[in-house]
Amino acid sequence: MKTRIILLAIIMISIMSCNSEKKTNSEVISDTITEKYWKLKTLNGREVTMVENQTRETYFILKSEDNRLKGFAGCNTFGGTFTLEKGNSIRFTNVLSTLMACPDVVVNETEFLKVFNLADHYTIKDDVLSLNIGKRAPLAVFEAVYMN
């Protein structure tokens, strides 16, 4: 009887430690991409710069607490949800934007927002994030910007 109780205790401890390890790995994955201000640098291989009449730069942030996506597409704000998985897989869902008209803004918002519908993989190196379809050429490249 004592042997069974000890064996059960060992199994429970093993299960609990495995669960905490998985959570830690998930946190490490999300810490590299979430809670950062990602400024758009290139879109479909073309450099993106802010134009004079643009109110702010094109960016997005992933909020880990509620898996929320939020950002600015050049004229309109946008939001949605995201999911991170092993192997740098990422899925964006329910991406919606406001519908303001900004005829003088150079960034093609439709092209930019399409990235969130197509991307399923990301890579990060030296604070540079690429959103890709699989392991192909990046749809968009972003740079992490740190606020003081």
Side-chain angles (χ1 to χ4, degrees), residues 8-56:
L8 183 59
I10 290 170
I11 291 170
M12 294 292 286
I13 290 169
S14 296
I15 290 171
M16 289 172 32
S17 68
C18 287
N19 284 342
S20 96
E21 233 178 82
K22 286 180 186 173
K23 184 176 179 185
T24 303
N25 288 339
S26 174
E27 288 172 357
V28 168
I29 289 170
S30 70
D31 284 347
T32 62
I33 191 171
T34 61
E35 306 303 329
K36 289 184 181 178
Y37 180 102
W38 294 106
K39 174 184 172 181
L40 180 64
K41 299 301 284 180
T42 66
L43 182 60
N44 294 320
R46 294 183 307 275
E47 187 176 342
V48 174
T49 56
M50 196 167 139
V51 294
E52 189 175 313
N53 62 340
Q54 194 174 336
T55 58
R56 53 191 153 151

Side-chain angles (χ1 to χ4, degrees), residues 8-129:
L8 183 59
I10 290 170
I11 291 170
M12 294 292 286
I13 290 169
S14 296
I15 290 171
M16 289 172 32
S17 68
C18 287
N19 284 342
S20 96
E21 233 178 82
K22 286 180 186 173
K23 184 176 179 185
T24 303
N25 288 339
S26 174
E27 288 172 357
V28 168
I29 289 170
S30 70
D31 284 347
T32 62
I33 191 171
T34 61
E35 306 303 329
K36 289 184 181 178
Y37 180 102
W38 294 106
K39 174 184 172 181
L40 180 64
K41 299 301 284 180
T42 66
L43 182 60
N44 294 320
R46 294 183 307 275
E47 187 176 342
V48 174
T49 56
M50 196 167 139
V51 294
E52 189 175 313
N53 62 340
Q54 194 174 336
T55 58
R56 53 191 153 151
E57 60 198 6
T58 305
Y59 76 93
F60 77 92
I61 298 172
L62 300 178
K63 305 297 283 177
S64 58
E65 184 177 326
D66 52 1
N67 287 356
R68 299 292 305 167
L69 160 72
K70 70 177 198 169
F72 182 71
C75 173
N76 290 284
T77 58
F78 66 94
T81 56
F82 71 94
T83 308
L84 297 176
E85 298 171 8
K86 288 183 180 178
N88 289 4
S89 290
I90 191 165
R91 298 272 184 227
F92 297 98
T93 52
N94 303 318
V95 178
L96 301 171
S97 71
T98 57
L99 298 173
M100 294 181 2
C102 304
D104 297 330
V105 175
V106 176
V107 174
N108 182 338
E109 287 190 322
T110 304
E111 189 178 354
F112 174 65
L113 292 172
K114 189 177 179 182
V115 167
F116 297 99
N117 290 322
L118 295 175
D120 62 5
H121 185 265
Y122 70 93
T123 56
I124 297 177
K125 183 176 181 186
D126 300 329
D127 285 334
V128 174
L129 166 68

